[in-house]
Amino acid sequence: MSSDLTPSSPSAAEGVEAVSVLADELRRRMYGFIRRAHRPVTREEAAADAGISVKLAAFHLDKLVAAGLLRAGYDSPGGEPRVGRRPKVYEPAGTDIRISIPERRPDVLAEILVDAVLGQEPGEDARTAALRTARQRGEELGAATRARRRPGRLGPERSVSLSEAVLEEHGFEPDRRAPTELRLLNCPFHPLAARSPELVCGINHAFLGGFLTGLRTAGIEAVLAPRPGRCCVELRAAAGGNGTPGPPGSCAKEPGARNPEERKPD
């Protein structure tokens, strides 16, 4: 499984840029023409369909490439051999463009649930498989972040700083209220969390706990702290305040709050 939250989708900022590029009617027409062609399209073909000059078509096509909507290369149209220099051609980039404000990531939750079903172990119920898979997914993201950033030893404050930067990229809208306290103002899994808070909040909690484990943080933990209008998880100083990491999967519980990872009585 990929270590990123949305490996095939651009960020929200990139999505906004892509949509702004498509606000131009001519570009929308050219983009639609290339998508319907199901093969690489030359500048000349795009220009002829749009009824504009090749030079103007090249300008708009390159704007679509820069926005991540098309990719460009050099090939012979239709795969037919051609003498001389091969023309520049364009085809869809193969990415999904979605915009949600605040940011939502239902595809991440879907991937976790699908992988949980496919990887369910003997004697394991579906919910346990989902929580285990979510933690593994979080650990992969944390480990990939550590390999990319190479932060060295992470104390509590640096752990929060690095977590804040990564979770901001993935739509959690972190709000740092103290050096070792990070509230998450947005739930990327809403409104699905509203339909099944026990399951979805449990998955979110397991994912973020796994992320901290993979990142090899020290002195902070993922804590269930459900409040209306925000993510159900916060990052806080670890219980005991000794600045040492707890065992993998450890987490504190909000006083008086029910832990979504606890089973309901039969």
Side-chain angles (χ1 to χ4, degrees), residues 94-154:
T95 56
D96 294 330
I97 304 298
R98 286 168 290 176
I99 294 179
S100 175
I101 301 174
E103 195 163 354
R104 305 300 185 206
R105 300 292 182 92
D107 53 328
V108 177
L109 188 60
E111 289 172 7
I112 289 172
L113 294 175
V114 168
D115 284 350
V117 171
L118 295 177
Q120 189 170 348
E121 298 176 354
E124 187 178 46
D125 61 37
R127 188 172 178 279
T128 301
L131 296 178
R132 174 181 53 78
T133 303
R135 176 164 290 279
Q136 291 174 348
R137 184 73 180 269
E139 288 180 2
E140 290 170 359
L141 175 62
T145 300
R146 185 171 185 86
R148 184 172 64 252
R149 303 285 183 92
R150 297 182 179 181
R153 186 181 183 280
L154 290 171

Short mmCIF file of all heavy atoms in Angstrom, two decimals, residues 94-154:
data_model
loop_
_atom_site.label_atom_id
_atom_site.label_comp_id
_atom_site.label_asym_id
_atom_site.label_seq_id
_atom_site.Cartn_x
_atom_site.Cartn_y
_atom_site.Cartn_z
N GLY A 94 -4.26 11.45 -16.28
CA GLY A 94 -4.67 10.30 -15.51
C GLY A 94 -4.87 10.56 -14.03
O GLY A 94 -4.92 9.62 -13.23
N THR A 95 -4.95 11.82 -13.62
CA THR A 95 -5.19 12.14 -12.21
C THR A 95 -6.64 12.59 -12.03
O THR A 95 -7.27 13.12 -12.94
CB THR A 95 -4.26 13.28 -11.74
OG1 THR A 95 -4.43 14.41 -12.60
CG2 THR A 95 -2.81 12.84 -11.78
N ASP A 96 -7.15 12.35 -10.82
CA ASP A 96 -8.49 12.80 -10.48
C ASP A 96 -8.41 14.18 -9.84
O ASP A 96 -7.60 14.40 -8.94
CB ASP A 96 -9.15 11.83 -9.48
CG ASP A 96 -9.41 10.47 -10.09
OD1 ASP A 96 -9.62 10.41 -11.32
OD2 ASP A 96 -9.38 9.48 -9.35
N ILE A 97 -9.23 15.10 -10.30
CA ILE A 97 -9.26 16.45 -9.75
C ILE A 97 -10.53 16.60 -8.94
O ILE A 97 -11.64 16.49 -9.45
CB ILE A 97 -9.23 17.52 -10.87
CG1 ILE A 97 -8.02 17.32 -11.77
CG2 ILE A 97 -9.23 18.92 -10.26
CD1 ILE A 97 -6.69 17.45 -11.06
N ARG A 98 -10.35 16.81 -7.64
CA ARG A 98 -11.49 16.99 -6.75
C ARG A 98 -11.19 18.15 -5.81
O ARG A 98 -10.08 18.29 -5.32
CB ARG A 98 -11.75 15.73 -5.93
CG ARG A 98 -12.38 14.61 -6.73
CD ARG A 98 -12.34 13.32 -5.97
NE ARG A 98 -10.96 12.82 -5.88
CZ ARG A 98 -10.62 11.72 -5.20
NH1 ARG A 98 -11.54 11.06 -4.54
NH2 ARG A 98 -9.37 11.32 -5.17
N ILE A 99 -12.22 18.94 -5.54
CA ILE A 99 -12.06 20.07 -4.63
C ILE A 99 -13.13 19.97 -3.55
O ILE A 99 -14.31 19.79 -3.85
CB ILE A 99 -12.19 21.42 -5.36
CG1 ILE A 99 -11.04 21.59 -6.34
CG2 ILE A 99 -12.20 22.57 -4.37
CD1 ILE A 99 -11.11 22.87 -7.12
N SER A 100 -12.71 20.08 -2.32
CA SER A 100 -13.64 20.09 -1.20
C SER A 100 -13.12 21.07 -0.17
O SER A 100 -11.96 21.01 0.23
CB SER A 100 -13.76 18.69 -0.58
OG SER A 100 -14.58 18.73 0.57
N ILE A 101 -13.96 21.99 0.22
CA ILE A 101 -13.60 22.96 1.27
C ILE A 101 -14.68 22.90 2.34
O ILE A 101 -15.83 23.23 2.08
CB ILE A 101 -13.49 24.39 0.71
CG1 ILE A 101 -12.43 24.43 -0.40
CG2 ILE A 101 -13.14 25.37 1.82
CD1 ILE A 101 -12.34 25.76 -1.11
N PRO A 102 -14.33 22.41 3.58
CA PRO A 102 -13.03 21.90 3.99
C PRO A 102 -12.69 20.59 3.29
O PRO A 102 -13.56 19.94 2.73
CB PRO A 102 -13.18 21.72 5.50
CG PRO A 102 -14.64 21.49 5.69
CD PRO A 102 -15.32 22.34 4.66
N GLU A 103 -11.42 20.21 3.35
CA GLU A 103 -10.93 19.07 2.60
C GLU A 103 -11.50 17.76 3.14
O GLU A 103 -11.56 17.54 4.34
CB GLU A 103 -9.40 19.04 2.65
CG GLU A 103 -8.78 18.13 1.62
CD GLU A 103 -7.31 18.40 1.41
OE1 GLU A 103 -6.80 19.38 1.97
OE2 GLU A 103 -6.69 17.62 0.67
N ARG A 104 -11.91 16.89 2.23
CA ARG A 104 -12.42 15.56 2.59
C ARG A 104 -11.61 14.49 1.86
O ARG A 104 -11.18 14.70 0.73
CB ARG A 104 -13.90 15.43 2.22
CG ARG A 104 -14.79 16.49 2.82
CD ARG A 104 -14.75 16.51 4.34
NE ARG A 104 -15.70 17.46 4.91
CZ ARG A 104 -15.56 18.03 6.10
NH1 ARG A 104 -14.52 17.74 6.85
NH2 ARG A 104 -16.47 18.88 6.55
N ARG A 105 -11.44 13.34 2.51
CA ARG A 105 -10.67 12.24 1.92
C ARG A 105 -11.42 10.92 2.03
O ARG A 105 -10.94 9.97 2.65
CB ARG A 105 -9.31 12.13 2.61
CG ARG A 105 -8.42 13.36 2.51
CD ARG A 105 -7.95 13.59 1.09
NE ARG A 105 -7.07 14.74 0.98
CZ ARG A 105 -5.73 14.68 1.08
NH1 ARG A 105 -5.15 13.53 1.32
NH2 ARG A 105 -5.00 15.76 0.95
N PRO A 106 -12.63 10.81 1.46
CA PRO A 106 -13.36 9.54 1.56
C PRO A 106 -12.64 8.40 0.88
O PRO A 106 -12.83 7.23 1.24
CB PRO A 106 -14.70 9.85 0.88
CG PRO A 106 -14.40 11.00 -0.03
CD PRO A 106 -13.36 11.82 0.67
N ASP A 107 -11.79 8.69 -0.11
CA ASP A 107 -11.07 7.63 -0.81
C ASP A 107 -10.08 6.93 0.12
O ASP A 107 -9.85 5.73 0.02
CB ASP A 107 -10.34 8.19 -2.02
CG ASP A 107 -9.45 9.37 -1.69
OD1 ASP A 107 -9.78 10.14 -0.77
OD2 ASP A 107 -8.41 9.53 -2.35
N VAL A 108 -9.50 7.68 1.07
CA VAL A 108 -8.56 7.08 2.02
C VAL A 108 -9.29 6.07 2.90
O VAL A 108 -8.82 4.94 3.11
CB VAL A 108 -7.90 8.16 2.88
CG1 VAL A 108 -6.99 7.53 3.93
CG2 VAL A 108 -7.11 9.12 2.01
N LEU A 109 -10.45 6.47 3.39
CA LEU A 109 -11.24 5.57 4.22
C LEU A 109 -11.67 4.34 3.42
O LEU A 109 -11.62 3.21 3.93
CB LEU A 109 -12.46 6.31 4.76
CG LEU A 109 -13.31 5.58 5.79
CD1 LEU A 109 -12.50 5.24 7.02
CD2 LEU A 109 -14.51 6.45 6.19
N ALA A 110 -12.04 4.54 2.17
CA ALA A 110 -12.45 3.42 1.33
C ALA A 110 -11.29 2.46 1.11
O ALA A 110 -11.47 1.23 1.16
CB ALA A 110 -12.96 3.94 -0.02
N GLU A 111 -10.09 2.99 0.88
CA GLU A 111 -8.93 2.13 0.67
C GLU A 111 -8.63 1.31 1.92
O GLU A 111 -8.28 0.12 1.84
CB GLU A 111 -7.71 2.98 0.30
CG GLU A 111 -7.79 3.57 -1.10
CD GLU A 111 -6.67 4.57 -1.35
OE1 GLU A 111 -5.78 4.69 -0.48
OE2 GLU A 111 -6.67 5.21 -2.40
N ILE A 112 -8.73 1.93 3.08
CA ILE A 112 -8.49 1.21 4.34
C ILE A 112 -9.49 0.07 4.50
O ILE A 112 -9.13 -1.07 4.84
CB ILE A 112 -8.56 2.18 5.53
CG1 ILE A 112 -7.34 3.11 5.53
CG2 ILE A 112 -8.64 1.41 6.85
CD1 ILE A 112 -7.40 4.21 6.57
N LEU A 113 -10.76 0.35 4.24
CA LEU A 113 -11.79 -0.67 4.41
C LEU A 113 -11.65 -1.80 3.39
O LEU A 113 -11.82 -2.97 3.73
CB LEU A 113 -13.17 -0.03 4.31
CG LEU A 113 -13.52 0.96 5.44
CD1 LEU A 113 -14.85 1.64 5.18
CD2 LEU A 113 -13.55 0.24 6.79
N VAL A 114 -11.31 -1.46 2.16
CA VAL A 114 -11.11 -2.51 1.14
C VAL A 114 -9.92 -3.39 1.51
O VAL A 114 -9.99 -4.62 1.45
CB VAL A 114 -10.92 -1.89 -0.26
CG1 VAL A 114 -10.42 -2.93 -1.25
CG2 VAL A 114 -12.21 -1.27 -0.76
N ASP A 115 -8.81 -2.76 1.91
CA ASP A 115 -7.63 -3.53 2.30
C ASP A 115 -7.91 -4.39 3.53
O ASP A 115 -7.38 -5.49 3.68
CB ASP A 115 -6.45 -2.60 2.58
CG ASP A 115 -5.83 -2.07 1.30
OD1 ASP A 115 -6.19 -2.58 0.23
OD2 ASP A 115 -4.98 -1.17 1.37
N ALA A 116 -8.74 -3.87 4.44
CA ALA A 116 -9.10 -4.64 5.62
C ALA A 116 -9.87 -5.89 5.24
O ALA A 116 -9.64 -6.98 5.78
CB ALA A 116 -9.92 -3.78 6.59
N VAL A 117 -10.81 -5.77 4.31
CA VAL A 117 -11.59 -6.92 3.85
C VAL A 117 -10.68 -7.93 3.16
O VAL A 117 -10.75 -9.15 3.41
CB VAL A 117 -12.72 -6.47 2.91
CG1 VAL A 117 -13.39 -7.67 2.26
CG2 VAL A 117 -13.75 -5.65 3.68
N LEU A 118 -9.81 -7.42 2.28
CA LEU A 118 -8.94 -8.32 1.52
C LEU A 118 -7.88 -8.99 2.41
O LEU A 118 -7.44 -10.10 2.12
CB LEU A 118 -8.25 -7.55 0.38
CG LEU A 118 -9.18 -7.00 -0.71
CD1 LEU A 118 -8.38 -6.20 -1.73
CD2 LEU A 118 -9.94 -8.14 -1.39
N GLY A 119 -7.47 -8.28 3.47
CA GLY A 119 -6.40 -8.81 4.32
C GLY A 119 -6.87 -9.31 5.67
O GLY A 119 -6.03 -9.49 6.57
N GLN A 120 -8.16 -9.54 5.81
CA GLN A 120 -8.69 -9.99 7.10
C GLN A 120 -8.08 -11.32 7.48
O GLN A 120 -8.04 -12.27 6.70
CB GLN A 120 -10.21 -10.09 7.04
CG GLN A 120 -10.88 -10.33 8.38
CD GLN A 120 -12.39 -10.18 8.30
OE1 GLN A 120 -12.92 -9.69 7.31
NE2 GLN A 120 -13.08 -10.60 9.35
N GLU A 121 -7.58 -11.39 8.69
CA GLU A 121 -6.88 -12.58 9.15
C GLU A 121 -7.86 -13.58 9.77
O GLU A 121 -8.96 -13.20 10.20
CB GLU A 121 -5.82 -12.19 10.17
CG GLU A 121 -4.75 -11.27 9.59
CD GLU A 121 -3.74 -10.79 10.62
OE1 GLU A 121 -3.95 -11.09 11.82
OE2 GLU A 121 -2.75 -10.14 10.23
N PRO A 122 -7.49 -14.86 9.81
CA PRO A 122 -8.38 -15.88 10.40
C PRO A 122 -8.74 -15.52 11.84
O PRO A 122 -7.88 -15.16 12.64
CB PRO A 122 -7.53 -17.16 10.33
CG PRO A 122 -6.57 -16.92 9.21
CD PRO A 122 -6.26 -15.46 9.26
N GLY A 123 -10.01 -15.60 12.16
CA GLY A 123 -10.47 -15.31 13.51
C GLY A 123 -10.62 -13.83 13.82
O GLY A 123 -11.00 -13.47 14.94
N GLU A 124 -10.34 -12.97 12.87
CA GLU A 124 -10.40 -11.52 13.07
C GLU A 124 -11.72 -10.99 12.54
O GLU A 124 -12.10 -11.29 11.41
CB GLU A 124 -9.22 -10.87 12.34
CG GLU A 124 -9.05 -9.38 12.60
CD GLU A 124 -7.84 -8.82 11.86
OE1 GLU A 124 -7.68 -9.14 10.66
OE2 GLU A 124 -7.07 -8.08 12.48
N ASP A 125 -12.41 -10.18 13.37
CA ASP A 125 -13.65 -9.61 12.86
C ASP A 125 -13.33 -8.38 11.99
O ASP A 125 -12.21 -7.89 11.95
CB ASP A 125 -14.61 -9.24 13.99
CG ASP A 125 -14.07 -8.21 14.96
OD1 ASP A 125 -13.37 -7.28 14.50
OD2 ASP A 125 -14.34 -8.32 16.16
N ALA A 126 -14.36 -7.91 11.28
CA ALA A 126 -14.15 -6.85 10.28
C ALA A 126 -13.66 -5.56 10.93
O ALA A 126 -12.78 -4.87 10.38
CB ALA A 126 -15.45 -6.60 9.51
N ARG A 127 -14.19 -5.22 12.08
CA ARG A 127 -13.81 -3.97 12.73
C ARG A 127 -12.36 -4.00 13.19
O ARG A 127 -11.63 -3.03 13.02
CB ARG A 127 -14.75 -3.70 13.90
CG ARG A 127 -14.56 -2.33 14.53
CD ARG A 127 -15.65 -2.07 15.57
NE ARG A 127 -15.44 -0.78 16.19
CZ ARG A 127 -14.58 -0.57 17.18
NH1 ARG A 127 -13.85 -1.58 17.63
NH2 ARG A 127 -14.43 0.63 17.69
N THR A 128 -11.95 -5.11 13.76
CA THR A 128 -10.57 -5.25 14.20
C THR A 128 -9.62 -5.17 13.00
O THR A 128 -8.56 -4.55 13.07
CB THR A 128 -10.37 -6.58 14.95
OG1 THR A 128 -11.24 -6.62 16.08
CG2 THR A 128 -8.93 -6.74 15.41
N ALA A 129 -10.02 -5.79 11.90
CA ALA A 129 -9.20 -5.74 10.69
C ALA A 129 -9.08 -4.30 10.19
O ALA A 129 -8.01 -3.87 9.73
CB ALA A 129 -9.81 -6.62 9.60
N ALA A 130 -10.17 -3.53 10.26
CA ALA A 130 -10.14 -2.14 9.81
C ALA A 130 -9.20 -1.30 10.67
O ALA A 130 -8.42 -0.49 10.15
CB ALA A 130 -11.55 -1.55 9.83
N LEU A 131 -9.25 -1.48 11.98
CA LEU A 131 -8.38 -0.72 12.87
C LEU A 131 -6.92 -1.10 12.66
O LEU A 131 -6.03 -0.23 12.66
CB LEU A 131 -8.79 -0.93 14.33
CG LEU A 131 -10.20 -0.44 14.71
CD1 LEU A 131 -10.49 -0.78 16.17
CD2 LEU A 131 -10.34 1.06 14.48
N ARG A 132 -6.66 -2.38 12.49
CA ARG A 132 -5.28 -2.82 12.25
C ARG A 132 -4.76 -2.26 10.94
O ARG A 132 -3.62 -1.76 10.86
CB ARG A 132 -5.23 -4.35 12.23
CG ARG A 132 -3.87 -4.92 11.84
CD ARG A 132 -3.87 -6.44 11.82
NE ARG A 132 -4.92 -6.99 10.99
CZ ARG A 132 -4.87 -7.04 9.66
NH1 ARG A 132 -3.82 -6.56 9.01
NH2 ARG A 132 -5.88 -7.57 8.97
N THR A 133 -5.60 -2.29 9.92
CA THR A 133 -5.18 -1.77 8.61
C THR A 133 -4.94 -0.26 8.68
O THR A 133 -3.99 0.26 8.08
CB THR A 133 -6.25 -2.09 7.56
OG1 THR A 133 -6.46 -3.50 7.52
CG2 THR A 133 -5.82 -1.61 6.18
N ALA A 134 -5.80 0.47 9.40
CA ALA A 134 -5.63 1.91 9.54
C ALA A 134 -4.31 2.24 10.22
O ALA A 134 -3.60 3.17 9.82
CB ALA A 134 -6.79 2.50 10.33
N ARG A 135 -3.98 1.48 11.27
CA ARG A 135 -2.71 1.72 11.96
C ARG A 135 -1.53 1.44 11.03
O ARG A 135 -0.57 2.20 10.99
CB ARG A 135 -2.62 0.85 13.22
CG ARG A 135 -1.28 0.97 13.93
CD ARG A 135 -1.34 0.44 15.33
NE ARG A 135 -2.14 1.33 16.17
CZ ARG A 135 -1.66 2.44 16.72
NH1 ARG A 135 -0.42 2.82 16.51
NH2 ARG A 135 -2.45 3.20 17.46
N GLN A 136 -1.61 0.37 10.26
CA GLN A 136 -0.54 0.07 9.31
C GLN A 136 -0.38 1.18 8.28
O GLN A 136 0.74 1.57 7.93
CB GLN A 136 -0.82 -1.26 8.62
CG GLN A 136 -0.69 -2.48 9.52
CD GLN A 136 -1.10 -3.76 8.83
OE1 GLN A 136 -1.70 -3.75 7.74
NE2 GLN A 136 -0.82 -4.90 9.46
N ARG A 137 -1.50 1.68 7.82
CA ARG A 137 -1.46 2.78 6.83
C ARG A 137 -0.81 4.02 7.44
O ARG A 137 -0.01 4.69 6.80
CB ARG A 137 -2.89 3.08 6.37
CG ARG A 137 -2.97 4.14 5.26
CD ARG A 137 -2.51 3.57 3.93
NE ARG A 137 -2.58 4.58 2.89
CZ ARG A 137 -3.65 4.78 2.12
NH1 ARG A 137 -4.72 4.05 2.28
NH2 ARG A 137 -3.63 5.70 1.18
N GLY A 138 -1.16 4.33 8.69
CA GLY A 138 -0.54 5.46 9.36
C GLY A 138 0.95 5.26 9.56
O GLY A 138 1.74 6.19 9.38
N GLU A 139 1.35 4.05 9.93
CA GLU A 139 2.78 3.77 10.13
C GLU A 139 3.55 3.94 8.82
O GLU A 139 4.68 4.44 8.83
CB GLU A 139 2.96 2.36 10.67
CG GLU A 139 2.52 2.19 12.12
CD GLU A 139 2.71 0.77 12.64
OE1 GLU A 139 3.22 -0.07 11.87
OE2 GLU A 139 2.35 0.52 13.80
N GLU A 140 2.94 3.55 7.72
CA GLU A 140 3.60 3.72 6.42
C GLU A 140 3.81 5.19 6.09
O GLU A 140 4.87 5.59 5.61
CB GLU A 140 2.77 3.04 5.33
CG GLU A 140 2.78 1.54 5.41
CD GLU A 140 1.77 0.89 4.48
OE1 GLU A 140 1.04 1.65 3.78
OE2 GLU A 140 1.69 -0.34 4.46
N LEU A 141 2.79 6.01 6.37
CA LEU A 141 2.93 7.45 6.14
C LEU A 141 4.01 8.03 7.04
O LEU A 141 4.84 8.83 6.59
CB LEU A 141 1.60 8.15 6.37
CG LEU A 141 1.63 9.68 6.27
CD1 LEU A 141 2.05 10.13 4.88
CD2 LEU A 141 0.28 10.28 6.65
N GLY A 142 4.00 7.65 8.32
CA GLY A 142 5.01 8.16 9.24
C GLY A 142 6.42 7.75 8.84
O GLY A 142 7.35 8.56 8.86
N ALA A 143 6.59 6.48 8.47
CA ALA A 143 7.91 6.00 8.07
C ALA A 143 8.39 6.68 6.79
O ALA A 143 9.57 7.03 6.65
CB ALA A 143 7.87 4.48 7.89
N ALA A 144 7.46 6.88 5.83
CA ALA A 144 7.83 7.55 4.59
C ALA A 144 8.21 9.00 4.86
O ALA A 144 9.15 9.54 4.26
CB ALA A 144 6.67 7.49 3.59
N THR A 145 7.49 9.66 5.77
CA THR A 145 7.81 11.04 6.14
C THR A 145 9.19 11.11 6.79
O THR A 145 9.99 12.01 6.48
CB THR A 145 6.75 11.60 7.10
OG1 THR A 145 5.47 11.57 6.46
CG2 THR A 145 7.08 13.03 7.51
N ARG A 146 9.48 10.18 7.66
CA ARG A 146 10.78 10.17 8.33
C ARG A 146 11.91 9.94 7.34
O ARG A 146 12.95 10.60 7.40
CB ARG A 146 10.80 9.11 9.43
CG ARG A 146 12.08 9.14 10.24
CD ARG A 146 12.06 8.25 11.46
NE ARG A 146 13.27 8.45 12.22
CZ ARG A 146 13.46 9.39 13.13
NH1 ARG A 146 12.46 10.23 13.41
NH2 ARG A 146 14.60 9.52 13.76
N ALA A 147 11.70 9.03 6.40
CA ALA A 147 12.73 8.76 5.40
C ALA A 147 12.96 9.97 4.50
O ALA A 147 14.10 10.25 4.10
CB ALA A 147 12.32 7.54 4.56
N ARG A 148 11.89 10.71 4.22
CA ARG A 148 12.00 11.87 3.33
C ARG A 148 12.60 13.08 4.05
O ARG A 148 13.46 13.78 3.51
CB ARG A 148 10.62 12.22 2.78
CG ARG A 148 10.62 13.36 1.76
CD ARG A 148 9.26 13.50 1.13
NE ARG A 148 8.22 13.88 2.08
CZ ARG A 148 7.27 13.08 2.51
NH1 ARG A 148 7.20 11.82 2.11
NH2 ARG A 148 6.35 13.51 3.38
N ARG A 149 12.17 13.32 5.28
CA ARG A 149 12.60 14.52 6.02
C ARG A 149 13.91 14.31 6.81
O ARG A 149 14.60 15.27 7.10
CB ARG A 149 11.50 14.96 6.99
CG ARG A 149 10.15 15.24 6.35
CD ARG A 149 10.13 16.54 5.60
NE ARG A 149 8.81 16.82 5.06
CZ ARG A 149 7.88 17.53 5.70
NH1 ARG A 149 8.13 18.02 6.90
NH2 ARG A 149 6.70 17.74 5.15
N ARG A 150 14.18 13.08 7.20
CA ARG A 150 15.37 12.74 7.99
C ARG A 150 15.53 13.68 9.19
O ARG A 150 16.52 14.40 9.32
CB ARG A 150 16.63 12.79 7.13
CG ARG A 150 16.60 11.77 5.99
CD ARG A 150 17.87 11.78 5.17
NE ARG A 150 17.84 10.79 4.12
CZ ARG A 150 18.83 10.56 3.26
NH1 ARG A 150 19.94 11.27 3.35
NH2 ARG A 150 18.71 9.63 2.34
N PRO A 151 14.58 13.66 10.11
CA PRO A 151 14.59 14.65 11.20
C PRO A 151 15.51 14.31 12.36
O PRO A 151 15.72 15.13 13.24
CB PRO A 151 13.13 14.64 11.66
CG PRO A 151 12.68 13.23 11.42
CD PRO A 151 13.39 12.80 10.16
N GLY A 152 16.07 13.09 12.39
CA GLY A 152 16.87 12.70 13.54
C GLY A 152 15.99 12.39 14.73
O GLY A 152 14.82 12.03 14.60
N ARG A 153 16.55 12.56 15.93
CA ARG A 153 15.78 12.27 17.14
C ARG A 153 14.71 13.34 17.32
O ARG A 153 14.98 14.53 17.22
CB ARG A 153 16.69 12.24 18.36
CG ARG A 153 15.98 11.80 19.63
CD ARG A 153 16.92 11.80 20.83
NE ARG A 153 16.25 11.31 22.03
CZ ARG A 153 15.44 12.04 22.79
NH1 ARG A 153 15.22 13.31 22.48
NH2 ARG A 153 14.86 11.52 23.85
N LEU A 154 13.50 12.89 17.61
CA LEU A 154 12.38 13.80 17.76
C LEU A 154 11.92 13.85 19.22
O LEU A 154 11.42 12.86 19.74
CB LEU A 154 11.20 13.35 16.88
CG LEU A 154 11.37 13.51 15.37
CD1 LEU A 154 10.24 12.83 14.64
CD2 LEU A 154 11.46 14.98 14.99
#
